[in-house]
Amino acid sequence: MMSDIKLTTEESVYLAYRDGGGKSILPGHCAGLGISLEEGKEMIRRQYKIREQAGNLQPYDKSI
């Protein structure tokens, strides 16, 4: 059974980028969320910085 985890738009964009295929997935994912590609890139940078500052970066985490 899947848990009902609620993600913010920013978390969704970051995880889609990190786990879903990198830059190639961003245009469609951002469009589906109703945000621009540049907004999505900024969200990725913020989420990476949050993880970095918290000391929670994993080998698979990446910035854009």
Side-chain angles (χ1 to χ4, degrees):
M1 180 177 194
M2 301 264 313
S3 62
D4 292 326
I5 298 173
K6 301 270 185 201
L7 296 176
T8 65
T9 299
E10 194 163 291
E11 291 166 330
S12 172
V13 170
Y14 180 75
L15 293 175
Y17 171 72
R18 185 189 79 183
D19 300 340
K23 289 182 183 179
S24 65
I25 197 141
L26 279 181
H29 192 70
C30 290
L33 293 170
I35 61 172
S36 73
L37 185 57
E38 276 308 309
E39 288 173 309
K41 288 179 180 179
E42 282 302 314
M43 290 177 181
I44 291 166
R45 291 181 190 110
R46 279 194 300 271
Q47 283 295 307
Y48 184 86
K49 187 81 167 167
I50 288 168
R51 286 164 169 73
E52 183 178 48
Q53 290 176 341
N56 295 333
L57 282 181
Q58 301 299 319
Y60 47 80
D61 281 312
K62 57 187 175 181
S63 188
I64 193 164

